[in-house]
Amino acid sequence: MTRSDRRSVLSVLREARKLDGDLSGGLRGRGVGNAARRVGRLLDADAVVLADLDGVVAQYGTLPPDTDLEALLAQVYGHGGVIRQPPLSAAPLFVADDLAGCLVVSGDIAQNEVSEVAALASDHLDHAVLRLSRERIAAADLRRLRAQISPHFMHNALAAIAALIHADPERARELLSEFADYLRYSFSSAGDYATVAAELQATQTYLELQRARFRDRFDVTVRIAPEVLPVAIPFLVVQPIVENAVRHGLEPKAGGEGRISVSGFGEGPLCVIEIEDDGVGMDPEFARSVLAGTGPPAKGIGLANVDERLRKVYGPEYGLVVETAPESGTKVMIRIPRFMRGVVAE
């Protein structure tokens, strides 16, 4: 293969890859006009039409004046295969093996070329539907997560604030303001991702409210390296782990006394966040079953929920790592890429 041939192949591959982005919104997406133009360049066609089952959605170039496009589309949809009416060729588009639309091309183009480009477009439309499904699942997960903000915690936080109204009204006012900030963040509709800084601010507010409830019987340490503060992270990841440490680590201890530390730092391309408590701990096998979702039903957000969302966003090699043993406390580590395409705090 000559250098010129290689360049031609790379040019075609580049156009084919960009077609995926053009069709990311489906046949009714904003990029469908670009998709028609790109197919025209790929096939060196005089004209290209993209249609769904309701009609034409995009056209590039000019079809022959005597073209009966509606009749041609009806033939393709009825036949389910390629129809040739020189200089026109029309091939069906499929999504998940269901007829979804049609590609019509005008020009001196071989049938196999039209079929291959139609198959490529169908694959990209499949990807678009899969992405949309994943986004809807992620949005549903986030709605479910927000709905799981513990009513038990909210009741106890308000009770702790109420108990301070007469004894320490200034602190009661501060805690009430922090409680409002915590709820505002927890039910925020800004997006699926937040910065580490915002996530830790909500976590610190949660801990202050819990300290008031426990009458300051446990210590809190938060140490975060400045370079990880702007890193984007899935919404409500850190706070549920801290809540787990309070409820299942410190609460079972006599008097609820103990220590919780939250630290964050960069480790090469990774952002590492560690949440550690000196509570009652748990059996390592039990911890593994909790992460796997095979343990007892969670009464709150739960580690399994956080672990699953991290793996969905970053891949199976990421997620939570838990180090624990009975009466030896628990350490939960989050290790995620500091930068990842599509993961942006809004």
Side-chain angles (χ1 to χ4, degrees):
M1 183 182 290
T2 66
R3 179 174 295 181
S4 177
D5 290 337
R6 286 197 296 272
R7 286 177 177 171
S8 296
V9 170
L10 286 173
S11 177
V12 170
L13 290 173
R14 188 179 300 113
E15 290 296 302
R17 178 175 54 80
K18 289 180 178 179
L19 183 62
D20 186 43
D22 295 336
L23 293 175
S24 63
L27 285 171
R28 290 283 173 174
R30 289 183 296 179
V32 69
N34 290 335
R37 286 191 291 273
R38 204 173 303 282
V39 169
R41 289 197 293 267
L42 278 169
L43 294 174
D44 193 22
D46 297 327
V48 172
V49 170
L50 287 170
D52 65 9
L53 299 182
D54 293 324
V56 174
V57 294
Q59 180 170 333
Y60 164 75
T62 304
L63 295 171
D66 58 345
T67 300
D68 187 345
L69 191 56
E70 286 188 12
L72 181 58
L73 292 175
Q75 279 187 273
V76 173
Y77 296 153
H79 180 262
V82 177
I83 299 292
R84 286 185 63 81
Q85 295 179 0
L88 299 177
S89 297
L93 299 173
F94 296 93
V95 175
D97 296 327
D98 291 329
L99 185 64
C102 184
L103 168 66
V104 180
V105 178
S106 177
D108 184 18
I109 303 162
Q111 180 174 327
N112 66 326
E113 292 180 288
V114 176
S115 297
E116 285 298 323
V117 171
L120 178 65
S122 293
D123 286 344
H124 291 332
L125 291 170
D126 261 342
H127 296 163
V129 170
L130 182 59
R131 279 192 294 264
L132 181 60
S133 297
R134 285 175 174 169
E135 288 170 4
R136 285 174 176 167
I137 289 170
D141 282 346
L142 195 55
R143 287 194 297 272
R144 179 165 57 90
L145 182 66
R146 288 177 170 128
Q148 288 177 324
I149 299 299
S150 172
H152 177 71
F153 160 68
M154 295 173 67
H155 174 270
N156 286 335
L158 289 172
I161 293 169
L164 289 169
I165 287 176
H166 296 295
D168 191 345
E170 184 60 32
R171 191 178 184 199
R173 279 194 293 270
E174 290 174 359
L175 289 173
L176 191 59
S177 176
E178 290 180 348
F179 184 63
D181 289 342
Y182 173 79
L183 291 182
R184 189 178 301 113
Y185 177 78
S186 298
F187 293 102
S188 166
S189 59
D192 296 339
Y193 304 103
T195 62
V196 168
E199 187 76 0
L200 289 173
Q201 180 60 50
T203 299
Q204 198 153 7
T205 299
Y206 169 84
L207 283 169
E208 284 304 311
L209 290 164
Q210 289 288 32
R211 274 169 52 79
R213 175 193 164 203
F214 282 94
R215 300 181 184 274
D216 300 327
R217 287 198 297 269
F218 66 83
D219 295 323
V220 174
T221 305
V222 178
R223 294 189 299 270
I224 305 296
E227 67 266 20
V228 301
L229 290 174
V231 171
I233 190 171
F235 181 79
L236 279 181
V237 161
V238 180
Q239 185 272 332
I241 300 173
V242 171
E243 180 176 349
N244 192 78
V246 172
R247 293 184 62 186
H248 304 294
L250 298 187
E251 278 192 30
K253 290 183 69 173
E257 296 181 353
R259 172 185 56 82
I260 291 179
S261 67
V262 181
S263 59
F265 52 91
E267 192 176 271
L270 299 179
C271 168
V272 181
I273 300 173
E274 298 179 344
I275 299 96
E276 186 171 7
D277 68 76
D278 63 353
V280 297
M282 66 184 98
D283 182 86
E285 286 299 324
F286 178 77
R288 276 190 281 273
S289 72
V290 168
L291 285 184
T294 59
K299 295 181 180 179
I301 292 171
L303 296 182
N305 180 296
V306 174
D307 184 63
E308 181 183 1
R309 288 191 297 127
L310 289 172
R311 293 179 189 278
K312 280 182 180 178
V313 171
Y314 299 107
E317 65 271 32
Y318 296 98
L320 300 182
V321 176
V322 179
E323 295 178 357
T324 187
E327 307 306 324
S328 298
T330 301
K331 182 178 182 179
V332 180
M333 289 166 282
I334 303 170
R335 298 167 68 85
I336 59 171
R338 291 168 68 176
F339 305 99
M340 188 171 185
R341 184 179 179 184
V343 179
V344 180
E346 299 180 12

